[in-house]
Amino acid sequence: MNIRIRDAGAGDGAALHAIVRELAVHHGHADDFVSSPMDFELFLAGPNPVGGALIATCGDAPAGCAIWHRSFSTFRGRETLYLEDLAVLPQYRRRGIGSELLKAVARLACGRGLPAVTWLVMDWNEEARRLYAAAGAEIESGNSVCRLSGAALERLGS
Amino acid sequence: MNIRIRDAGAGDGAALHAIVRELAVHHGHADDFVSSPMDFELFLAGPNPVGGALIATCGDAPAGCAIWHRSFSTFRGRETLYLEDLAVLPQYRRRGIGSELLKAVARLACGRGLPAVTWLVMDWNEEARRLYAAAGAEIESGNSVCRLSGAALERLGS
């Protein structure tokens, strides 16, 4: 096992897309996954990027990734880091890659002088919750995610 | 009643701070609210801002606000808008200001060509949930917010 974690960059869009697609399927949201590899290239290399990604490789193969973006906490009054996705492909699980990716995200936040990393976890995802609690995260249940999109967004915003 | 909604800008930091502070107290999180009016000024007017704010006024008095920041959906492959806080001061509630602020956020997202607005609501906040559902939002329960900060973040990220 030769796990490495590095910043994702130009050319990594297809790997990120494949890893996040597997995550979407795993969470039962395959139908909501409409992004393309090129979307991830543009996310990584477009002008004024809102975030970035870390990629874990095992040998030369992509094994997992962490995708983050900038955020702002009004309670802290400071920019913070939001972890949009942390995902490890099934065949690479139970090797500590998720923990290593989370550590790399924490290093990234500390290096940028940010006071916090926040993210969401589904209540049913016991394995992920254990990993996050072991890393020292506070976990606050009782939240719902609201999404306004499509025709509802156009109707309200027109 | 003369409600107006406008973009917040330089000089609105104190009003935003006061409105969000009231929200923090209302949610029982006064101890976690450590930001200052100047933090909001820097958020609005610093270099490469990650977001912005809308402010609702009643006559000349600040009555409510919506604070948003840029975000990215890996499932959509597109930048989206994240609504960090939507708050109306107690003495101005039940006049439709929250709905007007949400509409203004939807217009902002549509104007920027963004396909979605996302935000969080606490499961206990029935009044807010009704407002969001009436506006056409999908509401997905069963989420927990994870936060890594302070000593735990430094330990993991050092």
Side-chain angles (χ1 to χ4, degrees):
Chain A
M1 186 170 72
N2 182 17
I3 304 295
R4 291 233 160 76
I5 294 177
R6 61 172 172 78
D7 280 324
D12 286 323
L16 295 178
H17 177 263
I19 296 166
V20 178
R21 188 176 191 295
E22 198 289 325
L23 178 74
V25 171
H26 178 67
H27 281 228
H29 290 296
D31 291 348
D32 299 327
F33 187 81
V34 296
S35 62
S36 72
M38 183 54 71
D39 291 331
F40 285 86
E41 293 292 339
L42 291 171
F43 170 66
L44 294 170
N48 194 13
V50 66
L54 300 164
I55 190 160
T57 55
C58 185
D60 289 335
C65 69
I67 299 181
W68 60 272
H69 61 70
R70 297 172 65 198
S71 183
F72 180 75
S73 164
T74 52
F75 281 30
R76 295 177 188 275
R78 298 271 304 279
E79 181 163 332
T80 57
L81 193 147
Y82 186 83
L83 179 56
E84 175 74 13
D85 284 322
L86 180 71
V88 177
L89 288 170
Q91 62 270 37
Y92 295 106
R93 289 188 191 142
R94 305 192 175 282
R95 304 186 191 188
I97 298 176
S99 292
E100 289 303 317
L101 280 165
L102 191 57
K103 275 186 205 170
V105 169
R107 283 194 298 271
L108 181 69
C110 290
R112 293 168 76 95
L114 304 178
V117 180
T118 58
W119 66 98
L120 291 176
V121 64
M122 297 300 295
D123 288 346
W124 57 259
N125 198 342
E126 275 303 327
E127 190 174 350
R129 294 168 74 89
R130 273 197 300 273
L131 188 158
Y132 299 153
E138 298 168 70
I139 303 181
E140 179 195 61
S141 61
N143 284 271
S144 293
V145 175
C146 303
R147 290 187 189 87
L148 194 54
S149 64
L153 176 60
E154 281 168 35
R155 191 167 54 240
L156 199 68
S158 62
Chain B
M1 186 169 72
N2 181 16
I3 304 295
R4 290 233 160 78
I5 294 177
R6 62 173 172 76
D7 280 325
D12 286 323
L16 295 178
H17 177 263
I19 296 165
V20 179
R21 188 176 190 293
E22 199 289 324
L23 178 75
V25 171
H26 178 68
H27 280 229
H29 290 297
D31 290 349
D32 299 327
F33 187 80
V34 298
S35 61
S36 71
M38 182 54 71
D39 290 331
F40 286 86
E41 292 291 339
L42 292 171
F43 169 65
L44 293 170
N48 195 13
V50 67
L54 299 164
I55 190 160
T57 54
C58 185
D60 288 336
C65 69
I67 300 180
W68 60 271
H69 61 71
R70 297 172 64 198
S71 182
F72 180 76
S73 163
T74 51
F75 281 30
R76 295 178 188 275
R78 298 271 303 279
E79 182 163 331
T80 57
L81 193 146
Y82 186 83
L83 177 57
E84 176 73 14
D85 285 322
L86 180 72
V88 177
L89 288 171
Q91 62 269 40
Y92 295 106
R93 290 190 190 143
R94 304 192 176 282
R95 304 187 191 189
I97 299 176
S99 292
E100 289 303 317
L101 280 165
L102 191 58
K103 274 186 206 169
V105 169
R107 283 194 297 272
L108 181 70
C110 290
R112 294 168 75 95
L114 305 178
V117 180
T118 58
W119 66 98
L120 292 176
V121 64
M122 297 299 295
D123 288 346
W124 57 260
N125 198 344
E126 275 301 327
E127 191 175 349
R129 293 168 73 89
R130 274 197 299 272
L131 188 157
Y132 300 152
E138 298 169 71
I139 303 182
E140 178 195 64
S141 61
N143 285 271
S144 294
V145 175
C146 304
R147 291 187 189 87
L148 194 54
S149 63
L153 176 59
E154 283 169 34
R155 192 168 53 240
L156 200 68
S158 61

